[in-house]
Amino acid sequence: MASGTKHGGKKRGKAKPSTSALDGWKKPPPEVLRAPHGLDLAAFDRASTPGWKHGRKAGEQLVARHADELSELQERLFAEGRSGGTRSVLLVLQGMDTSGKGGIVRHVVGLVDPQGVAHRSFGVPTPEEARHHYLWRVRRALPPAGYIGVFDRSHYEDVLVARVDELVPPEVWEKRYDEINRFEERLVESGTSLVKVALLVSPEEQRARLLKRLDRPDKYWKYNPGDVDARLRWSAYQEAYQAVLDRTNTEVAPWHAVPADRKWFARLAVSELLLDALRRLDLGWPAADFDVGTERARLLAT
Ligand code: AMP
Ligand code: MG
């Protein structure tokens, strides 16, 4: 592995970045994947691999090659949180059914120590959640200091399914975009690095993936007859996603648009975005809050 020792040795130095600066990308992944203002979802190629010079095999190899660095940076973040630090990372995965959210949790987030991961998936609100403001359950699920939080779906459902299925009247969801922007701004100010990812799957690929679920008894549990209803409202969903990108793609909490028809690419893209967020924290190892020499002497005397 290219990224140096697993536990970083005794030094306070930075985790070693692996090999060449761009690692097979034409430009840094956060740059190519960041949703530009005015992005037209209808024209977005969901089978594309933007910015990536190679194919699947090289993509999978890079994920594997970066795994050690990802894991070490996560451990540094966790150590910082244990030592009085207040920073955390939150990965928001938003996408239609079959867009690969679960696979990313398993294959990308699964590369780090589960002890330091705060994972939460958001389904139909429970009766208790429904009695509260829509951000109530989201606030409770935010990662503690030192953790990588992962949202499989998120508060964005409250301007997606809530809008498309008219769960609340337009004057209610209409106000939520600004409210979400303020919420995220405060979150970032409080020390959470927010990585928002829209996983964009094509309707054809979704159909194929749903059909596969019906072909395999081991996938029946993932199939929900309601998914077909959501497909029937595909264009309404796309409009709602477009509004999310138009109205919540802020400077402090930008969206990344990740084509999701090729699972390997979506996994590569998210692993690189997560790695970038961790690298930018410039994480060291916490200094000892005891005298190392004294402790060594005491131990040797036992
Ligand atoms: P899954 O991710 O396949 O387990 O499905 C979760 C379901 O919960 C999806 O159909 C979402 O649209 C739905 N869901 C998530 N959040 C909300 C919400 N705030 N209001 C209504 N439905 C929601
Ligand atoms: Mg589902």
Side-chain angles (χ1 to χ4, degrees), residues 97-98 101 153 213 222-224 227:
D97 246 292
T98 77
K101 304 181 291 295
R153 301 185 190 268
R213 290 181 182 176
K222 280 195 184 185
Y223 189 85
N224 172 359
D227 297 344

Side-chain angles (χ1 to χ4, degrees), residues 3-240:
S3 63
T5 52
K6 175 93 172 70
H7 295 287
K10 298 173 199 79
K11 286 195 302 266
R12 237 182 98 83
K14 287 181 210 158
K16 252 194 241 160
S18 42
T19 61
S20 82
L22 283 171
D23 282 322
W25 293 91
K26 290 176 206 155
K27 281 184 189 174
E31 216 174 287
V32 270
L33 298 169
R34 176 151 180 190
H37 289 288
L39 172 69
D40 177 11
L41 270 189
F44 189 82
D45 182 355
R46 289 144 197 251
S48 61
T49 59
W52 181 242
K53 287 198 223 163
H54 312 290
R56 174 179 183 155
K57 193 160 171 247
E60 288 171 346
Q61 281 168 350
L62 186 60
V63 174
R65 193 149 57 75
H66 277 167
D68 276 8
E69 188 188 351
L70 194 67
S71 172
E72 178 173 329
L73 291 177
Q74 179 271 326
E75 194 179 340
R76 286 174 187 239
L77 178 65
F78 193 74
E80 182 185 276
R82 280 296 172 88
S83 312
T86 54
R87 298 188 295 179
S88 62
V89 171
L90 176 59
L91 174 65
V92 170
L93 299 173
Q94 192 59 61
M96 301 284 287
D97 246 292
T98 77
S99 58
K101 304 181 291 295
I104 284 172
V105 173
R106 190 186 328 178
H107 294 276
V108 177
V109 182
L111 297 170
V112 308
D113 186 347
Q115 198 184 190
V117 174
H119 172 266
R120 171 71 205 261
S121 52
F122 292 94
V124 178
T126 63
E128 192 193 14
E129 287 169 351
R131 279 196 295 276
H132 290 85
H133 186 269
Y134 70 98
L135 290 175
W136 180 77
R137 64 177 185 164
V138 178
R139 290 201 174 92
R140 287 160 61 96
L142 291 173
Y147 279 72
I148 296 179
V150 182
F151 283 2
D152 175 338
R153 301 185 190 268
S154 65
H155 41 296
Y156 285 100
E157 290 294 325
D158 294 283
V159 286
L160 291 165
V161 65
R163 169 176 167 155
V164 172
D165 284 357
E166 300 174 41
L167 304 179
V168 293
E171 58 273 23
V172 173
W173 56 253
E174 182 58 43
K175 286 196 292 243
R176 290 180 173 171
Y177 299 95
D178 289 341
E179 194 172 32
I180 287 172
N181 288 337
R182 285 194 300 273
F183 167 70
E184 291 181 347
E185 195 181 333
R186 281 196 296 271
L187 185 63
V188 171
E189 276 167 12
S190 75
T192 300
S193 301
L194 191 52
V195 184
K196 300 198 292 190
V197 177
L199 291 167
L200 300 163
V201 71
S202 69
E204 299 76 24
E205 179 65 19
Q206 190 197 48
R207 190 161 179 270
R209 290 182 187 175
L210 286 173
L211 278 170
K212 215 177 267 173
R213 290 181 182 176
L214 292 179
D215 284 343
R216 289 180 48 177
D218 63 323
K219 299 283 179 197
Y220 291 165
W221 68 275
K222 280 195 184 185
Y223 189 85
N224 172 359
D227 297 344
V228 181
D229 302 311
R231 275 185 67 71
L232 292 171
R233 287 190 284 275
W234 187 269
S235 61
Y237 268 105
Q238 295 313 299
E239 246 174 67

